[in-house]
Amino acid sequence: MVYEVDLGLNHVVRKFAEPVPASAHALIAVPGGDQQEGPSGVIVACENFIIYKKQDHADRRCTLPVRYDQNTESGVFITNSQSFYNSELGAIIFLQSEHGDLYKVSLDQNGTDVLGMSVQYFDTIAPSAKLTLLESGYLFAAGDCSNHKMFRFTSLGGEQNNQSVSNSTQLFDEEKIIKDHTDLVKFCPQAEHSNLEVCDQIQNLACINNMVVEDLVGQGSSQIYIACGKNNNGSLRQLTHGLTVIEMATSPMPLKPIRVVTLKSPTSKEGEL
């Protein structure tokens, strides 16, 4: 069901309702409407495929590329999504599966009409709790069981003859059901990022699997040892009591310094250095 919120009258109106497959599990808003450019509508994420829906518009379906070693009995499910509209590229939607694989959804549009869709395997990062696209060309991924990372886009994909792209004309029978899951477009996850570059990260202790508080190094105070993360993002971390030091400036010294003296600024308040 699609509802419209009327802020003037402070009530909700149901615009239209349509049945969706039983495996539908996520909704992704497509940019557009009265306040911004784009075709508008919504994408319904289902097991191994997505559906574009819009009022008084024909549905568009497209399968999702799957890994070569994907179990045919378990499909691909979408856990995160982000979308934006560019005047040159049109509406672009990024999806992330439960395995961490990123997909780029491109819409073939004519004005506000969507003629078809294509889904391309874009890159692989750690599964995220939330994805955020910045207009400056960055992607922030809040790690679920890994460090939070800021990525810079080095490319938007779309190379010619890309074998990991599926389109909306493949593999559906007359009842709009995937005919054979073994014929889905397949890809091999990349060990190194091809379209993204890590530019910063924030330490994240989630998820904590076990914790020990002991003085194992004989410092006179206990340290906290934590086993955190999952799979290839798992790690053992040590936390110690103390104040963090932030380097504000670096200046080379001509000779070996003997002592450091701080001088009070004439404009500083009493008690400040």
Side-chain angles (χ1 to χ4, degrees):
M1 297 184 183
V2 175
Y3 295 88
E4 181 181 63
V5 180
D6 191 329
L7 298 178
L9 299 177
N10 195 25
H11 71 285
V12 178
V13 178
R14 189 176 77 174
K15 301 296 291 184
F16 72 99
E18 289 189 5
V20 295
S23 63
H25 56 273
L27 295 175
I28 301 98
V30 178
D34 297 334
Q35 303 298 324
Q36 66 182 77
E37 297 183 54
S40 73
V42 66
I43 289 179
V44 182
C46 306
E47 183 180 4
N48 285 338
F49 68 98
I50 58 176
I51 311 172
Y52 173 81
K53 285 183 173 291
K54 184 180 177 180
Q55 187 176 12
D56 301 326
H57 191 289
D59 291 352
R60 306 300 181 193
R61 298 182 178 230
C62 186
T63 58
L64 295 170
V66 300
R67 296 187 176 192
Y68 276 108
D69 58 353
Q70 177 78 28
N71 188 346
T72 56
E73 297 180 359
S74 60
V76 175
F77 291 88
I78 301 302
T79 57
N80 272 300
S81 63
Q82 270 288 289
S83 60
F84 72 95
Y85 184 85
N86 183 280
S87 57
E88 297 181 359
L89 302 175
I92 296 180
I93 299 98
F94 284 96
L95 310 177
Q96 186 182 40
S97 71
E98 55 189 337
H99 306 298
D101 299 324
L102 289 175
Y103 300 98
K104 187 185 78 170
V105 181
S106 300
L107 303 180
D108 180 12
Q109 53 185 103
N110 181 14
T112 58
D113 293 332
V114 175
L115 306 179
M117 291 190 298
S118 64
V119 181
Q120 172 191 350
Y121 165 68
F122 189 75
D123 226 322
T124 298
I125 62 176
S128 306
K130 182 65 177 177
L131 296 175
T132 301
L133 279 170
L134 305 180
E135 293 182 359
S136 55
Y138 290 86
L139 171 68
F140 178 76
D144 184 18
C145 294
S146 61
N147 291 338
H148 310 311
K149 293 183 179 180
M150 180 73 76
F151 296 93
R152 179 189 296 110
F153 285 95
T154 58
S155 171
L156 284 177
E159 292 80 2
Q160 296 290 334
N161 301 322
N162 193 321
Q163 299 299 318
S164 59
V165 177
S166 63
N167 59 58
S168 54
T169 61
Q170 295 177 336
L171 304 180
F172 291 99
D173 58 18
E174 296 179 354
E175 298 180 357
K176 305 300 182 181
I177 299 175
I178 299 178
K179 292 180 288 187
D180 190 353
H181 289 263
T182 59
D183 292 334
L184 293 173
V185 175
K186 296 179 174 58
F187 67 90
C188 182
Q190 301 172 357
E192 297 182 358
H193 300 305
S194 58
N195 297 308
L196 297 172
E197 178 185 19
V198 180
C199 55
D200 197 9
Q201 62 178 317
I202 303 173
Q203 297 294 319
N204 180 25
L205 297 180
C207 57
I208 298 177
N209 303 309
N210 199 4
M211 180 174 63
V212 175
V213 182
E214 293 287 346
D215 183 13
L216 301 181
V217 293
Q219 292 181 344
S221 61
S222 299
Q223 303 90 44
I224 303 176
Y225 295 89
I226 299 175
C228 56
K230 294 193 322 184
N231 301 328
N232 61 329
N233 294 308
S235 61
L236 175 64
R237 307 193 186 191
Q238 175 188 344
L239 304 181
T240 58
H241 296 285
L243 297 176
T244 58
V245 178
I246 302 177
E247 184 179 286
M248 302 298 294
T250 302
S251 178
M253 305 296 291
L255 300 174
K256 182 178 180 180
I258 300 176
R259 67 181 64 179
V260 177
V261 179
T262 58
L263 301 178
K264 183 177 180 180
S265 173
T267 59
S268 63
K269 298 180 181 179
E270 184 177 357
E272 293 184 352
L273 297 179

